[in-house]
Amino acid sequence: MKPIGLLVILALFHPAAITAQTQLSEIRIDQPGADTDEYFEISGSPGFDLSHLAYVVVGDGAAGSGVIESVTSLAPLTVPPDGYLLGAEPSFALGPTPDLETSLNFENGDNVTHMLVADFSGTTGMDLDTNDDGILDSVPWSSVVDCIALLESEAAGDRVYCDHTVGPNGSVPWHVYRDGGWQVGENDPDVGVDTPGEPVSGLPVELQDFVAVVEPHAIAFRWTTLSERDNAGFRVYRRSDGHLETTPFIRATGSLTGASYATVLPKPPPGVHQYGLTQYDIDGSAKRISTVTVPLHAPRGLTVSGPYPNPAGGDVRLLLTSQHTSVVTAVLTDLLGRRGRQLYSGTLDRGENRSLFFSVAGSAPGQYFVTIQSENHLVTRPLTVVGSRR
């Protein structure tokens, strides 16, 4: 393929080409222990259609630099009402329920480039920089909406393909977030400033604790601060299905040594609920400073197990469990999120376990996704198809 000229590459990454309607805003690629809480966050205008966009990570492979390591289609999603779309793995437990639950392959040992691109037409494993000179020889997209390169080393390592970089901080940054410009967060999310699905800004409050107590008809919240500076007050919230449920504003007194606070929210339906404590500075800035998980005798609404086996060449089984009566559809899609066969469409009753069987015999070998959607919830599961058995 004929190499693309440098001026074309610069045009693709020029700030003027970045839409004002959506951008990358927060990413976590690693953490102490198992990588259970990798995620990405996209901010934008509520309701903005993301169907033509894909989240792409370019790193390295056997061919060297410029290899596509991860592709996540954003079809058929839109930016939620609160302006923040959260994509994470099924094991995610740092914040609210992800808007997109899928497998993420975020490398955390080299320089990597994270991109939001339009009209993606490539595949995982493609080598876009065949001579490893830092200039892309091919671009399987129509434009780059936004990008950020995470650096393990400025002087060595794999090539990156974005003018905007962050790091290194002793290694490749594990957590980065946009607060004016790109910032490096803490490696450990328990002591860091992770705010998945929410805005980020600095706070002048040292928190001692934040607890929730389940009462017969409400959830009671209590928290204590060790110190406060220029603190206007707090709100406790629960984010569910793209909507926010918040308490009235709890006023603070500005600056003091410490204080105790309390408030309540109505008791929600059975499930595992995540509550956040947001603090507001007197200049109007706000940030989540703590979260607490409240299980109410049931897992979350839709649980997906499988597919089994995986890889597969013939019959495949998927187990769907619903804690709320809901219309559920399941389809087989390709890497670009293009809709393929419909595998299931129907109503799952509350508490129902349903085994879904289908066959991939005759399908072309490669990477697919099973996309399961209930009301306001989307789950994807990767499925590798090998030589089929008829």
Side-chain angles (χ1 to χ4, degrees), residues 161-196:
Y161 305 93
C162 182
D163 291 337
H164 308 290
T165 65
V166 62
N169 66 330
S171 66
V172 65
W174 291 5
H175 173 232
V176 296
Y177 60 96
R178 215 168 196 149
D179 188 10
W182 282 99
Q183 311 293 331
V184 176
E186 296 287 342
N187 284 352
D188 188 346
D190 290 339
V191 299
V193 292
D194 289 73
T195 56

Side-chain angles (χ1 to χ4, degrees), residues 283-322:
D283 65 4
S285 61
K287 178 180 176 295
R288 186 197 67 185
I289 58 174
S290 187
T291 60
V292 61
T293 299
V294 180
L296 295 179
H297 312 297
R300 65 187 178 191
L302 179 66
T303 301
V304 180
S305 300
Y308 307 107
N310 191 9
D315 292 337
V316 180
R317 177 177 178 262
L318 202 70
L319 179 63
L320 308 181
T321 304
S322 177

Side-chain angles (χ1 to χ4, degrees), residues 3 27 49 51 99 115 124 133 186 194 200 214 231 265 292 295 323 333 385:
I27 304 166
D49 187 4
S51 294
D99 303 292
M115 298 177 172
T124 302
D133 64 353
E186 296 287 342
D194 289 73
V200 177
V214 178
N231 178 27
L265 277 173
V292 61
Q323 295 299 323
T333 64
V385 175

Side-chain angles (χ1 to χ4, degrees), residues 34-367:
D35 293 348
T36 57
D37 293 309
E38 295 179 340
Y39 68 87
F40 66 88
E41 178 192 82
I42 295 171
S43 61
S45 302
F48 180 72
D49 187 4
L50 302 172
S51 294
H52 64 300
L53 301 182
Y55 191 99
V56 177
V57 180
V58 178
D60 68 344
S65 296
V67 175
I68 296 178
E69 296 183 344
S70 176
V71 177
T72 302
S73 170
L74 300 182
L77 298 169
T78 60
V79 176
D82 60 5
Y84 292 88
L85 181 133
L86 175 63
E89 298 192 309
S91 56
F92 182 78
L94 287 184
T97 300
D99 303 292
L100 172 61
E101 184 181 294
T102 187
S103 296
L104 299 176
N105 181 28
F106 288 172
E107 184 180 11
N108 49 38
D110 290 303
N111 297 340
V112 288
T113 306
H114 288 240
M115 298 177 172
L116 189 61
V117 304
D119 305 314
F120 182 76
S121 59
T123 59
T124 302
M126 285 184 66
D127 185 5
L128 308 182
D129 184 4
T130 55
N131 59 359
D132 298 335
D133 64 353
I135 299 176
L136 296 177
D137 303 310
S138 61
V139 285
W141 50 71
S142 62
S143 64
V144 175
V145 176
D146 197 10
C147 64
I148 183 64
L150 312 183
L151 300 181
E152 181 183 49
S153 171
E154 293 179 288
D158 298 322
R159 299 285 190 168
V160 295
Y161 305 93
C162 182
D163 291 337
H164 308 290
T165 65
V166 62
N169 66 330
S171 66
V172 65
W174 291 5
H175 173 232
V176 296
Y177 60 96
R178 215 168 196 149
D179 188 10
W182 282 99
Q183 311 293 331
V184 176
E186 296 287 342
N187 284 352
D188 188 346
D190 290 339
V191 299
V193 292
D194 289 73
T195 56
E198 302 168 13
V200 177
S201 61
L203 293 176
V205 167
E206 184 180 3
L207 187 69
Q208 176 173 301
D209 55 32
F210 175 53
V211 297
V213 178
V214 178
E215 297 182 344
H217 303 290
I219 309 295
F221 303 92
R222 302 183 182 91
W223 64 99
T224 304
T225 63
L226 295 174
S227 64
E228 301 177 23
R229 176 174 52 83
D230 298 330
N231 178 27
F234 304 90
R235 273 195 176 96
V236 177
Y237 70 91
R238 179 175 73 95
R239 182 171 181 261
S240 176
D241 298 331
H243 301 285
L244 288 175
E245 177 188 23
T246 67
T247 63
F249 188 72
I250 298 108
R251 295 190 178 278
T253 57
S255 301
L256 44 79
T257 301
S260 296
Y261 303 86
T263 190
V264 297
L265 277 173
K267 190 174 182 180
V272 178
H273 301 278
Q274 189 87 30
Y275 291 90
L277 176 64
T278 299
Q279 183 266 336
Y280 296 81
D281 198 358
I282 59 174
D283 65 4
S285 61
K287 178 180 176 295
R288 186 197 67 185
I289 58 174
S290 187
T291 60
V292 61
T293 299
V294 180
L296 295 179
H297 312 297
R300 65 187 178 191
L302 179 66
T303 301
V304 180
S305 300
Y308 307 107
N310 191 9
D315 292 337
V316 180
R317 177 177 178 262
L318 202 70
L319 179 63
L320 308 181
T321 304
S322 177
Q323 295 299 323
H324 306 283
T325 299
S326 178
V327 175
V328 175
T329 60
V331 298
L332 191 66
T333 64
D334 63 13
L335 276 174
L336 305 183
R338 292 178 295 207
R339 185 185 179 98
R341 286 191 292 133
Q342 180 168 288
L343 306 176
Y344 174 78
S345 179
T347 299
L348 261 66
D349 293 328
R350 177 179 179 179
E352 179 181 1
N353 297 317
R354 179 166 299 183
S355 291
L356 172 63
F357 295 92
F358 60 96
S359 176
V360 294
S363 300
Q367 182 69 54

Side-chain angles (χ1 to χ4, degrees), residues 13-27:
F13 288 92
H14 194 277
I18 298 177
T19 175
Q21 292 184 289
T22 186
Q23 65 179 2
L24 305 175
S25 53
E26 189 169 6
I27 304 166

